[in-house]
Amino acid sequence: MFKSLINYLVIFFLVIFSLNLFGKDNKKREKNMDKMTKITIKIDRIFKSNEIDYQRVIKIGKQLKKLGIEFPSYSKPDSEVGRSKKSMWTERELFLKMNQDFVDAVEGFIVAASTENKEETWAKFKVAFEECQKCHHKFARAKINLLED
Amino acid sequence: MQIKLKGNQNSWGLVAIFSHWIIAFLLLIQFTSGIRLSTMNFSYSKLELIDFHQSIGSVIMIFVFFRIIWRFYNSKPFNRELPNYHLKLSKITHLVLYFLLFSVPLLGLLYNWLSDMDIIIFGLITVPNIIIFENEDLADILIEIHFYLAIFFIFIVIVHFFAALYHLIIIKDRYKIFYRMRFKSIK
């Protein structure tokens, strides 16, 4: 009985969560961004562990690249600002360029991971991470200053 | 001089006192790092702080697990003179504290495992993932619950802290509540 109650609760939360995401562009964008953030944490931790599984790194890298490619499609002209700055729409060309730079940097990371060279792969991860930060600085709202544009 | 590991009528004993204060210290660090994390923007320092927060959380979980086992084995002081409502309030607060001490780190742990993220304690020990499936949506729900329970946890710790201060300052530790949790009491 307890088990089935837990199952019902999990299904209930998943349904509520899915309804919350349905149709809202900014929610999808934030979900996509949260996934990308999680992947960067995953990669960082893999490199902090003693043994690096490069096949796993490549698989995760490909997921990151896919999320990066999809990202601009969740910021249509009519979408809500959410956690983004208005500059995501007003400086569209720059946003798309920076997003592409990130995707290219992730591709470089995947290529480096396939050589199984730890230093090289880590260096390429740092390049991709730099691209993340640049983009965040330009287009994401600061967490403690939600009044900014 | 004989050091009392187990408790008696006048003391909680060295093991319980040590684990109480060490957990209190770790919780202070954990609450501070947790609040800081929720206000930080994306950066490499944030990743480092997440790792630190997760390492401290793992250590707290180990201590709590040990403390719960010890609580069953330990001889506890009993307050015969303590008013009934004090006893009831204290029992409820402690039950809630133990529930939160165990559930908040556990939710953090499950979030990492369900997201297929390795748990590395202070960059030294990798905790194996015992959950074979990945479920990002469920992980996101669990980390939300972790966040709100942690806020409630801070509130309960403040209640516990002020109750201790009430005993120490207002009623001059009449029932020796504070004294029994001091290292002085084990001598």
Side-chain angles (χ1 to χ4, degrees), chain B residues 113-125:
Chain B
W113 279 344
L114 285 167
S115 307
D116 188 33
M117 291 198 284
D118 296 334
I119 295 174
I120 306 167
I121 305 176
F122 295 113
L124 299 169
I125 307 157

Side-chain angles (χ1 to χ4, degrees), chain B residues 19-37 49 52-53 56-57 60 97 101 150 153-154 157-158 161:
Chain B
S19 59
H20 171 270
W21 290 110
I22 200 88
I23 290 171
F25 177 67
L26 292 172
L27 280 180
L28 189 69
I29 297 173
Q30 198 66 342
F31 291 152
T32 314
S33 61
I35 292 167
R36 180 78 190 106
L37 272 177
L49 192 59
F52 176 75
H53 184 78
I56 297 282
I60 289 175
L97 267 176
L101 270 169
F153 199 176
I154 294 173
V157 166
I158 291 171
F161 175 74

Side-chain angles (χ1 to χ4, degrees), chain A residues 10 13-14 17 31 35 37-38 40-42 44-46 48-50 56 122 129 132-133 136 141-144, chain B residues 38-44 46-48 50-51 54 111-112 115-118 120 126 134 136-137 139-141:
Chain A
V10 168
F13 279 118
L14 285 176
F17 195 71
K31 179 90 182 143
K35 280 185 180 174
T37 308
K38 264 191 203 175
T40 55
I41 299 172
K42 249 186 230 185
D44 180 58
R45 287 193 191 157
I46 290 172
K48 278 176 181 159
S49 65
N50 295 327
R56 187 178 169 212
W122 180 246
F129 197 87
C132 289
Q133 280 196 288
H136 270 251
R141 293 164 87 184
K143 278 197 168 184
I144 50 170
Chain B
S38 65
T39 58
M40 259 177 121
N41 296 317
F42 185 71
S43 65
Y44 200 74
K46 185 168 183 173
L47 294 196
E48 292 290 322
I50 292 171
D51 288 352
Q54 178 207 259
Y111 164 75
N112 279 281
S115 307
D116 188 33
M117 291 198 284
D118 296 334
I120 306 167
T126 306
E134 217 180 308
E136 300 255 353
D137 290 340
D140 291 342
I141 293 168

Side-chain angles (χ1 to χ4, degrees), chain A residues 103-126:
Chain A
V103 172
D104 294 343
V106 176
E107 177 58 31
F109 165 73
I110 297 166
V111 171
S114 62
T115 65
E116 302 199 358
N117 180 321
K118 189 179 175 181
E119 283 73 31
E120 178 67 12
T121 315
W122 180 246
K124 292 289 182 187
F125 173 65
K126 284 210 284 194

Side-chain angles (χ1 to χ4, degrees), chain B residues 7 11 47 68 71 74 84 86-87 99 130 170 175:
Chain B
S11 174
L47 294 196
I68 290 172
R71 203 179 158 97
N74 198 17
N84 207 22
H86 270 218
L87 271 176
F99 167 74
I130 57 164
I170 311 283
Y175 307 110

Side-chain angles (χ1 to χ4, degrees), chain A residues 55-72:
Chain A
Q55 288 313 307
R56 187 178 169 212
V57 172
I58 293 168
K59 189 182 154 205
I60 295 169
K62 283 179 180 169
Q63 287 170 356
L64 184 61
K65 188 182 162 189
K66 186 173 173 280
L67 290 164
I69 294 168
E70 285 169 3
F71 191 68

